[in-house]
Amino acid sequence: MIETERWLELLEEKGGRITGPRKAIVELMVKADHALSPVDVFDQARSKYPKMGLVTVYRTLEILSELGLVERVHQQDGCHMYLRAANGHEHLLICSRCGKAAYFSGDDLSVLIDRISSESGFVIQSHWLQLQGICQKCQPKKFQTPIE
Amino acid sequence: MIETERWLELLEEKGGRITGPRKAIVELMVKADHALSPVDVFDQARSKYPKMGLVTVYRTLEILSELGLVERVHQQDGCHMYLRAANGHEHLLICSRCGKAAYFSGDDLSVLIDRISSESGFVIQSHWLQLQGICQKCQPKKFQTPIE
DNA sequence: AATGATAATGAAAAACATTTTCAATAAGGA
DNA sequence: TCCTTATTGAAAATGTTTTTCATTATCATT
């Protein structure tokens, strides 16, 4: 649970208060290994903090996002899921069926980025590399009709 | 305008009808070099087809998207812009200020993908590589990167 | 421990974005 | 030209996110 503490300390350093709803959301996001929508977070967090409001989930995800601890996940069927942010040069590998997340590193895009920068005249600010696939658990079900 | 014809032919082959609203939207998307929201498309397309409804824009973008001709653009401040889809192994370079799009190629992620696939157990379906930056027009002059 | 300033909360309402419904229209084969 | 049916626009519905505001709770200061 050391990671939870770290997130809460960062929140505090930024001038935020540590509250019940925030603790519940942080605990949940720290250990989430599947992308979660605000409503997913809301539902799960209410078991720890039943008075939780959905608005607080939105607000807390925004703060965690500003702190770089959480990131919105981009998927072909929408972009309203959240996940622990990638650290350093990690990139996301995500299951397009169940949202299971894995992180990988090992690419080196710096040469490419330098080249594109000078060819295009753009000042490159960030890059985004993500792999979509089907995780092991979902593979036997690959040919089933997707859940609606 | 040969590209416009190609899009319309693909639409027709798919069993769709070629209509005024669709022609207006296709012409616009073919030559768009900035990411456009459905409302942007709506506004621009109405100059060619004043009766255009916003719903038709949504529907047409969806069809063009199914045909692989148009793609939703993912940006940190939202994912409701559209752009001509990348062809083949092209990837998108987008200005985070004005939405100006450029495409690049020259990466080879296949080795990385094979490695991640076997390490993670995921069956990799697709990959997304995108660079975010500031285009030349949006840069303060003193920071401009000269094009080579 | 009690106090007080104010940050954070939840509920309701508002603001957006997108989709569905449906009657009227128009595309394009017969 | 006719006829079938895909397409359209308007309105309503749906879904997501943000704003507003009165109440509550945190935590620095006593």
Side-chain angles (χ1 to χ4, degrees):
Chain A
M1 294 300 115
I2 189 82
E3 184 65 0
T4 303
E5 319 281 273
R6 194 176 74 85
W7 287 28
L8 293 174
E9 270 165 35
L10 285 168
L11 210 174
E12 206 165 26
E13 278 167 29
K14 200 211 171 200
R17 291 180 180 173
I18 296 177
T19 67
R22 287 180 177 177
K23 270 194 256 182
I25 293 169
V26 165
E27 275 172 29
L28 205 154
M29 291 306 296
V30 160
K31 65 175 179 232
D33 61 351
H34 285 66
L36 299 173
S37 71
V39 172
D40 293 336
V41 174
F42 177 58
D43 288 338
Q44 292 189 30
R46 268 189 300 180
S47 68
K48 288 226 169 183
Y49 194 92
K51 283 194 302 175
M52 175 80 64
L54 180 56
V55 190
T56 297
V57 173
Y58 276 98
R59 285 190 282 227
T60 304
L61 288 174
E62 191 183 358
I63 291 168
L64 296 176
S65 189
E66 283 163 12
L67 289 168
L69 296 170
V70 141
E71 264 171 6
R72 188 187 281 268
V73 176
H74 299 270
Q75 289 179 283
Q76 41 259 351
D77 60 344
C79 306
H80 24 250
M81 309 280 256
Y82 287 83
L83 216 40
R84 176 215 111 190
N87 309 316
H89 280 173
E90 280 182 346
H91 293 291
L92 183 62
L93 165 59
I94 190 157
C95 177
S96 51
R97 190 168 178 283
C98 73
K100 167 143 178 112
Y103 293 87
F104 66 91
S105 42
D107 63 301
D108 184 7
L109 296 172
S110 56
V111 173
L112 176 72
I113 289 173
D114 287 349
R115 202 197 85 214
I116 302 305
S117 177
S118 65
E119 281 178 13
S120 65
F122 275 58
V123 173
I124 311 289
Q125 297 172 314
S126 61
H127 62 274
W128 180 47
L129 173 60
Q130 183 175 302
L131 303 184
Q132 285 81 230
I134 302 290
C135 75
Q136 231 158 11
K137 273 197 183 162
C138 289
Q139 279 170 36
K141 296 164 189 162
K142 186 163 60 159
F143 299 112
Q144 287 183 3
T145 318
I147 295 176
E148 274 159 28
Chain B
M1 296 298 113
I2 188 83
E3 184 66 0
T4 302
E5 319 283 271
R6 194 176 73 85
W7 287 29
L8 292 174
E9 269 166 35
L10 285 168
L11 209 174
E12 204 166 28
E13 278 167 29
K14 200 211 170 200
R17 290 179 182 176
I18 296 179
T19 67
R22 287 179 177 177
K23 269 194 257 183
I25 293 169
V26 165
E27 276 172 28
L28 204 155
M29 291 307 297
V30 161
K31 66 173 177 233
D33 61 350
H34 285 67
L36 299 173
S37 70
V39 172
D40 294 336
V41 174
F42 177 58
D43 289 337
Q44 292 189 31
R46 266 190 301 180
S47 67
K48 288 229 168 178
Y49 194 91
K51 284 193 302 174
M52 175 79 65
L54 179 57
V55 189
T56 297
V57 174
Y58 276 99
R59 284 189 283 227
T60 304
L61 289 175
E62 190 183 0
I63 292 168
L64 295 176
S65 187
E66 283 163 12
L67 289 169
L69 297 170
V70 140
E71 263 171 6
R72 188 187 280 267
V73 175
H74 299 270
Q75 290 178 283
Q76 39 261 353
D77 60 343
C79 306
H80 25 249
M81 309 281 255
Y82 287 82
L83 216 41
R84 177 214 111 191
N87 308 316
H89 279 176
E90 280 181 345
H91 294 291
L92 183 61
L93 165 58
I94 190 156
C95 177
S96 50
R97 193 170 172 282
C98 73
K100 169 146 176 108
Y103 293 87
F104 65 91
S105 44
D107 63 301
D108 183 7
L109 296 172
S110 55
V111 174
L112 176 72
I113 289 172
D114 288 348
R115 202 198 85 213
I116 303 305
S117 178
S118 64
E119 280 178 14
S120 66
F122 276 57
V123 173
I124 311 288
Q125 297 172 314
S126 61
H127 62 275
W128 285 346
L129 172 60
Q130 183 176 302
L131 304 184
Q132 284 82 229
I134 302 290
C135 76
Q136 226 160 14
K137 273 198 182 160
C138 290
Q139 289 167 36
K141 272 182 192 156
K142 53 179 174 177
F143 296 129
Q144 278 190 13
T145 315
I147 294 183
E148 279 161 19

